[in-house]
Amino acid sequence: MSLLTPDLLRELVAEARLAPSVHNIQPTRWRLLADGRPALVDDTTVRAPIADPTGHDVRISHGAALEGMSLALNRRGLSIVDIAIEDQPLASPHAVLCRLTIGSGADSDPLADNVPRRMSWRGTFAASPQDEAALAQLVASLDNIVCIRDRKQIADIAAWADEAELSFTREADFRRELLTWMRLSPNDPLYLQSGLNREALAMNAIEAVGARLVLGPLFPLLDKLGLAAALLSDRAKTSSAAAIVLFCRPRGEDPLVSGRHFYRLWLEIDRAGLAACPMSSLADNPAFNDRLRATAGLGDEVRLVNAFRVGRPTASMAPRHFRLPVDQLIV
Ligand SMILES: Cc1cc2nc3c(=O)[nH]c(=O)nc-3n(C[C@H](O)[C@H](O)[C@H](O)COP(=O)(O)O)c2cc1C
C-alpha cells in the first residue's frame, strides 16, 4: 500500500478536479485520512435539487472525480487497488463516500493525456472527412455506447432534445436554480471558479444579457407568445453533430461506477479528436428516454444514462477549466 503525503494529495486533486460535474457545481472534496489513505468526500451543501432531485447526477459527478483521481494517480505510476464505499454516509456537510487504498505499479493509462484537453463544447460542429474514422475508433474502444450517425435520426433527436429541455425549463424553480449556477457577468466573484460562465456556455455579452432575461422575468410571456422555444433552441447545434452517442450502463449499477465510465467515454471522445456536450434532459425526461431507447433498440438490462452530441468543433478548442481552488477541495 502506498501512503499519500499532503503535498501529493494537492497535486492529485489539482488534476482530479478537471473531471466534469453537473452544472459545474463540483460537489467532490478530498481528505487525507490519518492512515495515509485518501477519501472521497461529498460536500452535501453543494446540490442542484431541482435539476437533480434524486442526487443521481451528483453521484455521477463524484464518480467522474473518482476516475479523475485514478488517472492522476496513474500518471505517477500509482493506482487505486481498493475502493471501500460507505453504505450509509453520514449526512454532515462533509460525508465520506469512499476510502481508497493506493498501490504502486500501474500501466500507463492512454486517456491520462486527454484530461487537460477535454472540455464541454457548446458550439456547433463542422462535418469533416475524418469523422467516420474518428467515430469508428470511438465505437471500437468502448462497449457501452450506441453511436447514431443517420442524419434523419440526428435531426429528430435534435428536435427531441429541445422539447425535453423545454419541459424542464418551463418550471420556474428549474429556471431559478439554473440562473444561480450561471455566471453571466465576469464581475461574478465565482466567474472563474464554479458554475457555467459565458465562455463555457459559448455566449457573448449580449447573448448573456438575453439569456438572463429569457430564463428570468420574460420567460412566461415569451412562452405564451411561442417565442421561448426558438430563443432557447440548441437544435442547430445538435443537428450539426457528426453523431449522437448514447451512454448506456447496466441497470442497477451504482452511479458512482457509471460516473467513472461517463468520464472515460468523454476522454475517449477527446482522444478520437472530437468534442462533445451532454444533453441530460433527453435521458432525464422519461418519454424521450423511451424514444431514444426504442431508436437504438436497447434491451431492458441496459440503462440509458445520458446522450452526447459529438463532432468536430467549428473553432479551435483552447482548453480552459473553471474550477474551485485546490485548497477549498481538501477538507
Ligand atoms: C452528470 C452530468 C450531466 C451533465 N449534463 C449537461 C447538460 O445537460 N448540458 C450541458 O451543457 N452540460 C452538461 N454537463 C457538463 C457540465 O456542465 C460540465 O462538465 C461542467 O460545466 C464542467 O465543464 P467542462 O466539461 O468544460 O470541464 C453535465 C455533466 C455531468 C457530469
Side-chain angles (χ1 to χ4, degrees), residues 20-22 24 118-120 122 196 262 277-278 280 320 323:
S21 66
V22 56
N24 201 22
R118 183 218 58 88
M119 58 180 247
S120 299
R122 297 195 178 84
L196 302 161
F262 177 87
C277 182
S280 297
R320 80 286 177 280
R323 295 294 190 272

Side-chain angles (χ1 to χ4, degrees), residues 247-251 293 298-304:
F247 171 59
C248 308
R249 294 298 304 165
R251 204 173 279 286
R293 297 180 63 83
L298 298 180
D300 282 346
E301 71 292 356
V302 167
R303 187 166 80 88
L304 171 57

Side-chain angles (χ1 to χ4, degrees), residues 244-266:
I244 304 297
V245 170
L246 305 184
F247 171 59
C248 308
R249 294 298 304 165
R251 204 173 279 286
E253 179 177 81
D254 182 344
L256 193 69
V257 176
S258 311
R260 299 189 71 177
H261 292 277
F262 177 87
Y263 191 20
R264 291 192 72 81
L265 163 58
W266 207 335

Side-chain angles (χ1 to χ4, degrees), residues 36-70:
R37 288 189 300 159
L40 187 156
V41 174
D42 176 24
D43 186 334
T44 58
T45 64
V46 180
R47 291 289 186 268
I50 308 296
D52 181 32
T54 63
H56 170 267
D57 282 1
V58 162
R59 202 154 170 96
I60 292 273
S61 304
H62 285 313
L66 177 57
E67 188 58 27
M69 176 56 73
S70 171

